[in-house]
Amino acid sequence: MGFNPLATAPPSKWQALLVKQSRFARVLELWHSSELSTFCIAARLGIPEADVCRLIEEGDSQCWRDRAVFS
């Protein structure tokens, strides 16, 4: 077995960003498809409920901002 520098190195900014994006996607997926409460999502993912609420608010505001309005 060789030495793996990634196993001992602190997370890079790209790794941290990837973790944040995947957590964001998972929270929104559970919120929209599973219809779980913010408390249940927080418990399932092991993060504070306040963070779950913030991510949901951020995700919903982006969805509305990015939608095209057709008349």
Side-chain angles (χ1 to χ4, degrees):
M1 245 163 84
F3 175 73
N4 183 355
L6 294 177
T8 58
S12 71
K13 64 180 179 179
W14 301 110
Q15 290 169 322
L17 180 61
L18 182 61
V19 168
K20 182 179 177 182
Q21 288 176 335
S22 62
R23 181 176 293 147
F24 182 74
R26 186 70 176 133
V27 165
L28 292 180
E29 176 187 1
L30 291 170
W31 177 250
H32 290 294
S33 66
S34 300
E35 299 180 3
L36 296 174
S37 68
T38 56
F39 177 81
C40 290
I41 294 170
R44 182 176 283 189
L45 299 179
I47 61 176
E49 187 177 10
D51 288 352
V52 171
C53 294
R54 182 182 52 77
L55 289 169
I56 290 170
E57 288 173 0
E58 185 179 331
D60 285 346
S61 68
Q62 285 179 5
C63 288
W64 284 108
R65 184 191 71 214
D66 295 338
R67 287 187 184 151
V69 179
F70 300 102
S71 49

